[in-house]
């Protein structure tokens, strides 16, 4: 008997069946997305990463039921640039956001940049942002002008305004003044003139905000947004940017003995993320991708109120003084915890060693939603769906690390990762707990560390060694090619000009812009779209 032959049509049908069987990411409807971004969180702040941490049982359970990424990096090591890169998939040298915006900033993320929310909303998604924004609050820069249907949160970092219960900071800051200038106490790095506002869409609903209730209110607003989206029958994208673990820390109850303020705040964040997971599971397991990560590493100068670095201590820099965490290009500044949870799609109890970045969230979610990437824009992120689904453990070949407030020019590429090797072109310049900053040093040829052998970044390769001489040409080529690619791109320029008129203020007649009765639900008349130029300091 001869071998049976299939007709061309039967071959096509069989091929389609086999492809479908090998493609579990294909779903009958678009998935929901929840991106939870913690603030100033350390790689070692998760028990799943660092055994010394005991305060994160919900996050550890998330890791157990999903995939843990141990070589995951923020795109910058400070607030605004990192968030801009998450929402655009592009480094600050491309999207224009190279350093933080101020409370008086007129600009924000350039309007010609396309955000993830804009792409997903065009693809049929309900889009919501809850928490810290810090990408511009004046004119056309608030979240509801950048692709989000709904916003509830604080327009910038919650240490950029006074409150009635200031919480814990180093050094401590005073409460908001109540009775005129005589009550004001000016302290370096403390905002004492303007109260911290809480916004719903573009309306100030509370000024100053009550920090101790913020986590609960964020969870409540997340539940309402998810319910509204579910009722509408549309998929949703929720971007939840937490106040944790940025100072001031405001745990709801006094910390228990032995845990400290940081531990109590970390536990509060853990409970909040656990609540978000419950909301996702309530929609039906398998319908929602939950991605947890951080915007940058711990703020070392805050001493006992800063997070845990794990093994990534930047020992070479510490020996010379200065920080090796937030603002720097040492691993402690940009290597952040990352977890992905999607039952039935993202493998459980898996640890990925792929070199990944917050830059990858944009193209990956766009691909999973079946949407189209923006045209005429080069992305620095990758679609890492194969890594997400466990089909591959290969990420970036090269990853660039910009200066985020340490030595050198802000936004410039001062370090580069190539496989297990990391090259530094500039070091120093960021303050440590002891007040030292370390000398600003330019390295030519660069310092090169082998992170596989030396995750502490303690001993750079000897310039004369065979290993150094073998890897230097590849690093130099990658660095030159990256700079050439950026120079040839359609780059944006952010407006960093400032004017007191841009300060969110719900009542200019009251000290600190205080709202009488705002906690009872009264809104304000402050309008970020009004292009005023008269002083609005309260």
């Amino acid at each position: 008997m001869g071998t049976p032959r299939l007709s061309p049509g039967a071959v096509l049908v069989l091929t389609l069946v086999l492809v479908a069987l090998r493609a579990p990411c294909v779903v009958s409807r678009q998935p929901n997305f929840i991106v939870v971004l913690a603030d100033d969180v350390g790689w070692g702040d998760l028990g799943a990463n660092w055994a010394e941490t005991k305060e994160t049982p919900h996050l550890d359970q998330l890791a157990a039921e999903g995939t843990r990424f141990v070589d995951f990096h923020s795109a910058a090591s400070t607030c605004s640039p990192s968030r801009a890169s998450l929402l655009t998939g592009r480094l600050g040298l491309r999207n224009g956001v190279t350093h933080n915006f101020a409370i008086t900033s007129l600009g924000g993320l350039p309007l010609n940049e396309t955000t993830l929310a804009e792409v997903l909303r065009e693809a049929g998604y309900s889009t919501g942002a809850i928490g810290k924004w810090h990408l511009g609050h004046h004119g056309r820069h608030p979240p509801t002008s950048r692709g989000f249907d709904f916003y509830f949160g604080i327009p910038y970092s919650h240490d950029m305004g006074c409150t009635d219960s200031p919480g814990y900071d180093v050094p401590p800051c005073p409460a908001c003044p109540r009775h005129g200038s005589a009550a004001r106490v000016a302290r370096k790095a403390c905002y004492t003139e303007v109260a911290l506002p809480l916004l719903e869409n573009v309306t100030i609903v509370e000024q100053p905000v009550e920090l101790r209730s913020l986590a609960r209110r964020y969870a409540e607003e997340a539940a309402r947004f998810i319910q509204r989206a579910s009722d509408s029958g549309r998929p949703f994208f929720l971007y939840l940017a937490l106040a944790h673990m940025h100072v001031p820390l405001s745990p709801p109850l006094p910390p228990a003995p032995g845990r400290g303020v940081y531990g109590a705040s970390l536990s509060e964040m853990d409970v909040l993320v656990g609540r978000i997971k419950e909301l996702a599971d309530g929609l039906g397991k398998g319908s929602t991708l939950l991605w947890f990560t951080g915007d940058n590493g711990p703020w070392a100068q805050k001493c006992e109120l800063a997070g845990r670095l794990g093994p990534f201590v930047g020992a070479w820099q510490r020996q010379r003084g200065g920080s090796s965490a937030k603002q720097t290009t040492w691993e402690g500044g940009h290597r952040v915890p990352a977890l992905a949870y999607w039952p039935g799609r993202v493998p459980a109890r898996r640890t990925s060693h792929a070199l990944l970045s917050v830059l990858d969230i944009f193209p990956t979610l766009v691909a999973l939603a079946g949407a189209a990437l923006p045209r005429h824009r080069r992305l620095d992120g990758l679609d890492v769906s194969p890594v997400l689904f466990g089909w591959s453990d290969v990420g970036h070949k090269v990853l660039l690390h910009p200066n985020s407030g340490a030595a050198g020019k802000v936004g410039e590429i001062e370090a580069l990762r190539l496989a297990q090797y990391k090259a530094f072109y500039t070091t120093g310049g960021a303050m440590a707990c002891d007040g030292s900053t370390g000398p600003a040093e330019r390295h030519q040829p660069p310092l090169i560390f082998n992170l596989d052998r030396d995750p502490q970044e303690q001993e750079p390769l000897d310039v004369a060694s065979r290993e150094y001489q073998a890897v230097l040409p590849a690093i130099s080529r990658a660095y030159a090619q990256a700079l050439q690619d950026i120079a040839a791109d359609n780059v944006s320029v952010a407006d960093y000009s400032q004017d007191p008129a841009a300060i969110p203020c719900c009542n200019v007649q009251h000290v600190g812009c205080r709202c009488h009765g705002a906690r009872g639900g009264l809104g304000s008349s402050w309008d970020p779209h009004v292009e005023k130029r008269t002083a609005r300091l309260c």
Side-chain angles (χ1 to χ4, degrees):
M1 177 183 285
T3 302
R5 300 184 58 133
L6 297 176
S7 68
V11 170
L12 176 60
V13 171
L14 180 58
T15 300
L16 292 174
V17 170
L18 291 173
V19 168
L21 290 174
R22 295 184 59 190
C25 67
V26 177
V27 292
S28 58
R29 65 182 299 268
Q30 293 168 301
N32 304 312
F33 302 126
I34 301 176
V35 174
V36 180
L37 187 71
D39 201 339
D40 289 3
V41 68
W43 188 92
D45 279 336
L46 268 64
N49 284 347
W50 197 240
E52 295 178 13
T53 300
K54 308 297 184 185
E55 298 92 350
T56 58
H58 295 93
L59 282 162
D60 298 344
Q61 185 64 30
L62 196 68
E65 297 180 20
T67 292
R68 181 171 64 106
F69 304 101
V70 295
D71 203 355
F72 193 96
H73 301 262
S74 60
S77 52
T78 196
C79 305
S80 297
S82 179
R83 293 155 200 274
S85 291
L86 187 156
L87 290 176
T88 64
R90 288 156 55 85
L91 287 166
L93 283 180
R94 298 187 199 269
N95 66 39
V97 181
T98 56
H99 53 289
N100 288 340
F101 294 104
I103 66 171
T104 52
S105 288
L106 292 171
L109 176 65
L111 299 177
N112 61 324
E113 288 290 320
T114 303
T115 71
L116 176 58
E118 289 169 335
V119 174
L120 293 179
R121 185 163 69 175
E122 185 69 21
Y125 277 71
S126 294
T127 55
I130 295 174
K132 174 178 171 178
W133 178 239
H134 215 171
L135 291 175
H137 53 271
H138 188 67
R140 295 167 57 200
H141 294 289
T144 50
S145 295
R146 304 312 307 267
F148 289 100
D149 301 320
F150 171 76
Y151 174 63
F152 182 87
I154 297 170
Y156 29 70
S157 295
H158 65 284
D159 65 340
M160 295 171 66
C162 62
T163 63
D164 289 337
S165 301
Y168 298 87
D169 201 346
V170 176
C173 287
C176 283
R178 287 182 176 272
H179 305 295
S181 58
R184 296 174 184 170
V185 180
R187 296 188 186 178
K188 186 178 180 181
C190 293
Y191 289 74
T192 58
E193 297 295 313
V194 180
L196 186 69
L198 179 67
L199 277 68
E200 182 171 334
N201 297 322
V202 295
T203 299
I204 297 176
V205 296
E206 187 173 291
Q207 193 170 12
V209 63
E210 174 49 60
L211 291 178
R212 286 191 175 92
S213 66
L214 202 56
R216 172 183 57 78
R217 294 167 77 176
Y218 282 177
E220 290 171 353
E221 292 298 333
R224 291 190 187 102
F225 170 78
I226 290 172
Q227 187 61 56
R228 289 195 301 268
S230 179
D231 291 344
S232 73
R234 297 167 63 194
F236 68 82
F237 166 50
L238 173 60
Y239 169 51
L240 176 57
L242 306 179
H244 302 81
M245 297 297 298
H246 199 294
V247 293
L249 301 178
S250 300
L253 298 172
R259 296 182 64 209
V261 172
Y262 194 87
S265 299
L266 188 60
S267 178
E268 183 185 39
M269 181 187 77
D270 180 70
V271 171
L272 174 55
V273 175
R275 174 59 181 146
I276 299 303
K277 178 179 179 292
E278 287 179 3
L279 293 172
D281 288 341
L283 299 170
K285 289 196 173 185
S287 66
T288 304
L289 167 61
L290 172 56
W291 202 325
F292 172 88
T293 188
D295 71 335
N296 48 251
W299 199 355
Q301 73 183 73
K302 297 302 178 178
C303 302
E304 71 275 10
L305 301 184
R308 302 177 177 102
L309 295 171
F312 307 108
V313 296
W316 187 92
Q317 184 64 64
R318 283 192 173 185
Q319 293 164 3
R320 289 157 178 79
S323 168
S324 58
K326 180 178 178 176
Q327 297 183 305
T328 78
T329 54
W330 297 98
E331 289 295 288
H334 53 76
R335 192 184 290 229
V336 290
L339 308 171
Y341 170 75
W342 193 1
R345 288 176 165 63
V346 170
R349 299 191 178 277
R350 174 171 175 258
T351 297
S352 168
H353 296 270
L355 180 58
L356 303 181
S357 168
V358 72
L359 293 159
D360 304 328
I361 292 176
F362 182 109
T364 302
L365 298 195
V366 169
L368 293 174
L373 291 171
R375 300 178 60 190
H376 312 302
R377 281 286 187 273
R378 297 183 189 178
L379 298 186
D380 295 292
L382 304 174
D383 173 9
V384 295
S385 300
V387 180
L388 207 61
F389 295 124
W391 304 339
S392 166
D393 208 32
V394 177
H396 291 260
K397 295 179 180 178
V398 174
L399 202 57
L400 308 177
H401 300 299
N403 172 35
S404 300
K409 183 179 178 182
V410 290
E412 294 295 322
I413 306 303
E414 302 290 8
L416 177 145
R417 175 80 177 273
L418 176 67
Q420 74 268 37
Y421 295 101
K422 186 174 176 189
F424 287 84
Y425 295 91
T426 304
T427 57
M431 186 177 292
C433 173
D434 62 6
S436 66
T437 58
E441 296 183 59
R442 183 73 181 166
H443 303 281
Q444 198 58 257
L447 296 178
I448 300 178
F449 295 83
N450 184 327
L451 296 180
D452 281 355
R453 292 199 306 265
D454 184 16
Q456 298 86 2
E457 295 171 303
Q458 182 168 5
E459 192 67 37
L461 301 180
D462 185 341
V463 174
S465 69
R466 293 179 62 182
E467 186 177 13
Y468 186 99
Q469 294 299 322
V471 74
L472 179 62
I475 286 175
S476 299
R477 282 194 303 271
Y479 186 64
Q481 289 169 0
L483 297 183
Q484 290 170 4
D485 182 73
I486 292 171
D489 192 15
N490 179 16
V491 299
S492 301
V493 178
D495 175 12
Y496 278 97
S497 61
Q498 298 185 33
D499 189 320
I503 296 175
C505 183
C506 68
N507 193 327
V508 296
Q509 304 302 319
H510 292 158
V511 173
C513 296
R514 186 180 295 275
C515 286
H516 282 313
R519 287 188 181 86
L522 297 180
S524 79
S525 59
W526 177 75
D527 187 349
H529 299 88
V530 176
E531 300 287 347
K532 293 185 179 179
R533 290 292 180 271
T534 55
R536 302 179 73 180
L537 281 170
C538 304

